[in-house]
Amino acid sequence: MTTCLLLRTGEVENPHGIVPGRLPGFTLSEIGRRRAEVAAAHLERVPLVAVYVSPLAPARQTCDIIVRTHPEATVYNADLLTQVRTSWQGERLDHVQPRYNYFEPRRHESDETIEDLFHRMNHLVRRIIADEYPDQMVVCISHRDPIGAFRLGLEGESFTMDRLRANGDDFPR
């Protein structure tokens, strides 16, 4: 059986207090780097053969930390692991109410839904498991909402904001 570990990027530097979304220019904060180092230490003895990573800088930085202990692992950029596509990106966080729902209703027709996130994550992970790495271990580095949506779909939960935030993880993106 293939094992696919989903690893979330850590906290990002956000000095201007905006919804980062997919915007360039965001990097891991010091806390985010430390958390990536802890993850790398936990994975040090795990026989990783590949790392799939979101194209956003915080995910790539997390990946760089992970592969220091796995130089033999092949690294793949995977757009399907990227952050949610939302028209809220760039908005000031202080203009957005706490626990605001970025998904329901969609602000713009191009905004992704929670179900959209599940389907793109599921497509990539199922392809990895089914085709690419039978009986091996792979890490996918993504973001909070895509990983949360994937969890909801796997657990047969409804694709709602309440269910997405049910694990109590409510810090700003």
Side-chain angles (χ1 to χ4, degrees):
M1 174 187 346
T2 302
T3 301
C4 183
L5 303 172
L6 297 175
L7 181 63
R8 177 183 162 189
T9 64
E11 178 184 276
V12 300
E13 281 293 330
N14 192 351
H16 302 294
I18 64 172
V19 177
R22 296 178 174 187
L23 293 173
F26 289 89
T27 59
L28 288 176
S29 68
E30 183 56 36
I31 292 170
R33 282 189 288 284
R34 285 196 308 261
R35 289 182 179 162
E37 295 284 351
V38 168
H42 283 290
L43 294 172
E44 189 169 0
R45 290 189 169 83
V46 172
L48 297 179
V49 296
V51 179
Y52 284 74
V53 61
S54 160
L56 299 179
R60 290 192 325 269
Q61 291 172 315
T62 302
C63 177
D64 291 345
I65 293 168
I66 299 299
V67 298
R68 285 184 205 152
T69 60
H70 293 86
E72 71 288 348
T74 306
V75 176
Y76 298 97
N77 285 323
D79 289 339
L80 294 174
L81 293 172
T82 198
Q83 185 58 281
V84 62
R85 182 179 57 249
T86 178
S87 59
W88 287 98
Q89 76 180 20
E91 296 284 340
R92 293 190 45 84
L93 286 169
D94 59 5
H95 294 159
V96 179
Q97 296 176 344
R99 298 185 56 86
Y100 184 79
N101 188 335
Y102 293 96
F103 300 100
E104 304 158 347
R106 290 189 309 174
R107 183 179 185 202
H108 187 271
E109 65 184 31
S110 67
D111 288 356
E112 284 183 299
T113 65
I114 298 169
E115 189 171 0
D116 292 336
L117 293 176
F118 167 74
H119 288 299
R120 71 172 159 88
M121 293 287 289
N122 189 52
H123 176 75
L124 177 67
V125 172
R126 297 284 180 201
R127 189 189 71 190
I128 291 169
I129 291 172
D131 301 332
E132 302 293 329
Y133 297 98
D135 301 319
Q136 297 177 2
M137 189 164 296
V138 176
V139 166
C140 292
I141 302 172
S142 187
H143 310 273
R144 175 183 64 177
D145 288 342
I147 290 173
F150 187 59
R151 177 186 53 83
L152 289 178
L154 291 179
E155 293 175 354
E157 294 281 348
S158 58
F159 294 113
T160 66
M161 187 68 155
D162 286 343
R163 296 306 313 145
L164 188 64
R165 297 290 183 262
N167 64 358
D169 181 9
D170 201 27
F171 68 85
R173 290 180 247 275

